[in-house]
Amino acid sequence: DCFHPEKKEIPGFGETTNSIWLRVTLSSEFPVARMLELQWPHIDELDVYAVRSQTLQQEWSTGVQKPFSQRPYPTRTFAFPLQLQPGETTIYLRAWAIGNLQMPMTVWEAEAFAVHDRRDQVVQGMYFGIIFVMGMYNLFLFFSFRDISYLYYVLYVVAFSLVQLGFTGTGFELFWPNLPYLQVRYFPLFTGLTLIFVFPFAREFLQSRVHAPIMDRLLQAMVVLGAVFVVMPFLIDPHIASRIATIATPIPQVIGII
């Protein structure tokens, strides 16, 4: 038996390029419907097999690198409708991701998962709704005062929203479901756009060209870094680009603190 007991509450495998196999055994005294949810939306390839009495009962193949329409249940995470029969059913999962691989999972009653999913949609809608209102308010200020800093802020809010949409999986679910090509590249691409817009906003707001010339040159350099982030996932492996962007992202934060 190549499987070993998982001691951690949330299985996490860090940065890995290997496929990870997990095995979960579920028992039922009568036929019942369950939902198996994996809450980490950044799994490149995910295969699930439900086996009972050495016979394959159900199987799915999905992941970030496949169109959203191939998911067995339309949600921003990964959810699989299990049809359990009396006795034991063994679930095998094969996950592969270049990057941080986590596999937090929950087995839900079908009705409970439907309620959970609706609540999650409401929370996501409220979060992005607040960001949308912030953006629209600053767009109104831009048209009212013709101050370019407000426009930069609006563009920053849009770019930041795209980062969050990609990270939560909501963007892949609602806005680019047929573009796994984009979902794989979202982090360096949209993070780069965020840098491109947030630092010109900072320059205009702080008037750094007048009051802090050295800081102003640093802010301009961060815009160049953002441009590098934008083109990087189209020139090199997108997973490597995401790693580079993740490592380099604290640099602009340090500049912002300074």
Side-chain angles (χ1 to χ4, degrees):
D1 192 340
C2 297
F3 292 93
H4 304 283
E6 177 57 54
K7 298 180 180 180
K8 293 180 289 186
E9 182 178 351
I10 299 177
F13 306 96
E15 299 281 337
T16 179
T17 58
N18 299 319
S19 293
I20 300 296
W21 283 86
L22 274 73
R23 181 179 65 187
V24 179
T25 300
L26 303 176
S27 299
S28 177
E29 296 180 356
F30 45 83
V32 65
R34 291 288 185 265
M35 292 292 292
L36 173 65
E37 182 192 20
L38 281 83
Q39 292 95 352
W40 185 244
H42 307 294
I43 303 175
D44 289 85
E45 296 180 3
L46 179 59
D47 300 326
V48 179
Y49 308 91
V51 178
R52 182 174 179 274
S53 301
Q54 298 184 337
T55 301
L56 181 64
Q57 303 292 322
Q58 295 175 283
E59 65 174 313
W60 300 274
S61 182
T62 184
V64 171
Q65 295 197 9
K66 297 182 179 181
F68 190 85
S69 59
Q70 293 191 17
R71 299 194 180 188
Y73 189 93
T75 185
R76 68 183 184 87
T77 57
F78 297 101
F80 304 91
L82 302 174
Q83 300 297 326
L84 303 181
Q85 300 300 318
E88 288 190 347
T89 300
T90 302
I91 311 298
Y92 294 93
L93 305 98
R94 185 192 72 86
W96 174 80
I98 298 181
N100 186 20
L101 177 59
Q102 300 182 42
M103 297 187 69
M105 66 182 71
T106 304
V107 179
W108 298 85
E109 293 183 357
E111 297 80 3
F113 177 77
V115 173
H116 160 77
D117 190 51
R118 286 195 295 271
R119 288 176 178 172
D120 180 72
Q121 291 175 359
V122 170
V123 171
Q124 294 293 316
M126 292 176 61
Y127 174 72
F128 288 107
I130 292 172
I131 296 177
F132 176 77
V133 171
M134 291 172 55
M136 293 302 296
Y137 175 70
N138 281 273
L139 186 62
F140 171 76
L141 293 178
F142 167 70
F143 285 120
S144 298
F145 299 106
R146 301 296 177 178
D147 186 336
I148 192 67
S149 63
Y150 290 114
L151 180 59
Y152 282 134
Y153 187 80
V154 170
L155 295 173
Y156 156 68
V157 168
V158 171
F160 177 78
S161 298
L162 290 172
V163 174
Q164 295 302 306
L165 285 168
F167 180 76
T168 60
T170 304
F172 196 30
E173 177 186 5
L174 300 178
F175 298 106
W176 51 86
N178 297 316
L179 296 174
Y181 181 86
L182 176 60
Q183 181 64 17
V184 171
R185 291 164 172 80
Y186 89 89
F187 184 74
L189 173 60
F190 297 147
T191 299
L193 290 176
T194 302
L195 299 182
I196 287 173
F197 296 127
V198 72
F199 284 105
F201 163 73
R203 292 180 67 213
E204 292 292 332
F205 184 78
L206 300 173
Q207 291 293 298
S208 58
R209 282 169 290 187
V210 177
H211 302 296
I214 296 177
M215 176 61 69
D216 187 69
R217 286 192 287 271
L218 289 174
L219 297 180
Q220 292 182 63
M222 292 302 99
V223 175
V224 174
L225 178 63
V228 171
F229 281 7
V230 168
V231 301
M232 190 166 52
F234 303 101
L235 300 178
I236 64 175
D237 186 292
H239 298 92
I240 296 176
S242 294
R243 287 186 180 183
I244 295 174
T246 301
I247 294 172
T249 295
I251 297 175
Q253 297 173 351
V254 171
I255 297 297
I257 294 173
I258 296 175

